Amino acid sequence: QVQLVESGGGLVQAGGSLRLSCDASGITFSSYYMGWYRQAPGKQRELVAGITSGRTTNYADSVKGRFTISRDNAKNTMYLQMNSLKPEDTAIYYCNAKLWRAGYWGQGTQVTVSS
């Protein structure tokens, strides 16, 4: 049974930082492309950052220079370090694991940035 469990969300003031974690089980974590997505009220879910099995990363333009994605294959965990947070970063953040045609989602964690 595949499980992706996000944690680390919360309420923070603009300019602050949060670190999200995604703990994975039931998959060969090191083989998967892992991504962080977010969905704000009334908006479509969007890719925030992704990391390949070889640790190549990609970022949405809106978070470049502020967010850092990483993974620890020994712990089956992915992270998203979010710095210089802005009110427009407010959303539910979801963890995603993808390999060929298989894809899995976590339940999401709320991030709220107050101005």
Side-chain angles (χ1 to χ4, degrees), residues 20 66 76-77 86:
L20 305 183
R66 300 188 298 122
N76 289 356
T77 302
K86 304 175 181 180

PDB file of all heavy atoms in Angstrom, residues 20 66 76-77 86:
ATOM      1  N   LEU A  20       8.697  21.767   4.518  1.00  0.00           N
ATOM      2  CA  LEU A  20       7.745  20.677   4.338  1.00  0.00           C
ATOM      3  C   LEU A  20       8.489  19.356   4.172  1.00  0.00           C
ATOM      4  O   LEU A  20       9.578  19.323   3.604  1.00  0.00           O
ATOM      5  CB  LEU A  20       6.864  20.910   3.116  1.00  0.00           C
ATOM      6  CG  LEU A  20       6.091  22.222   3.055  1.00  0.00           C
ATOM      7  CD1 LEU A  20       5.206  22.246   1.801  1.00  0.00           C
ATOM      8  CD2 LEU A  20       5.269  22.445   4.303  1.00  0.00           C
ATOM      9  N   ARG A  66      13.879  31.044  -3.909  1.00  0.00           N
ATOM     10  CA  ARG A  66      13.279  31.083  -2.561  1.00  0.00           C
ATOM     11  C   ARG A  66      13.042  29.688  -1.988  1.00  0.00           C
ATOM     12  O   ARG A  66      13.164  29.482  -0.781  1.00  0.00           O
ATOM     13  CB  ARG A  66      11.945  31.838  -2.597  1.00  0.00           C
ATOM     14  CG  ARG A  66      12.043  33.271  -3.064  1.00  0.00           C
ATOM     15  CD  ARG A  66      10.724  34.009  -2.890  1.00  0.00           C
ATOM     16  NE  ARG A  66       9.643  33.424  -3.683  1.00  0.00           N
ATOM     17  CZ  ARG A  66       8.491  32.974  -3.163  1.00  0.00           C
ATOM     18  NH1 ARG A  66       8.279  33.018  -1.861  1.00  0.00           N
ATOM     19  NH2 ARG A  66       7.558  32.476  -3.961  1.00  0.00           N
ATOM     20  N   ASN A  76      13.546   7.728   2.715  1.00  0.00           N
ATOM     21  CA  ASN A  76      12.313   7.753   1.904  1.00  0.00           C
ATOM     22  C   ASN A  76      11.544   9.052   2.121  1.00  0.00           C
ATOM     23  O   ASN A  76      10.302   9.037   2.246  1.00  0.00           O
ATOM     24  CB  ASN A  76      11.415   6.546   2.223  1.00  0.00           C
ATOM     25  CG  ASN A  76      11.973   5.240   1.705  1.00  0.00           C
ATOM     26  OD1 ASN A  76      12.999   5.211   1.030  1.00  0.00           O
ATOM     27  ND2 ASN A  76      11.307   4.152   2.029  1.00  0.00           N
ATOM     28  N   THR A  77      12.269  10.141   2.142  1.00  0.00           N
ATOM     29  CA  THR A  77      11.663  11.433   2.463  1.00  0.00           C
ATOM     30  C   THR A  77      12.107  12.499   1.475  1.00  0.00           C
ATOM     31  O   THR A  77      13.277  12.543   1.084  1.00  0.00           O
ATOM     32  CB  THR A  77      12.020  11.864   3.890  1.00  0.00           C
ATOM     33  OG1 THR A  77      11.575  10.862   4.814  1.00  0.00           O
ATOM     34  CG2 THR A  77      11.366  13.185   4.242  1.00  0.00           C
ATOM     35  N   LYS A  86       5.695  34.504   0.710  1.00  0.00           N
ATOM     36  CA  LYS A  86       4.819  35.608   0.340  1.00  0.00           C
ATOM     37  C   LYS A  86       3.360  35.184   0.520  1.00  0.00           C
ATOM     38  O   LYS A  86       3.057  33.984   0.455  1.00  0.00           O
ATOM     39  CB  LYS A  86       5.050  35.974  -1.129  1.00  0.00           C
ATOM     40  CG  LYS A  86       6.479  36.323  -1.476  1.00  0.00           C
ATOM     41  CD  LYS A  86       6.620  36.560  -2.983  1.00  0.00           C
ATOM     42  CE  LYS A  86       8.057  36.899  -3.358  1.00  0.00           C
ATOM     43  NZ  LYS A  86       8.204  37.139  -4.818  1.00  0.00           N
TER      44      LYS A  86
END
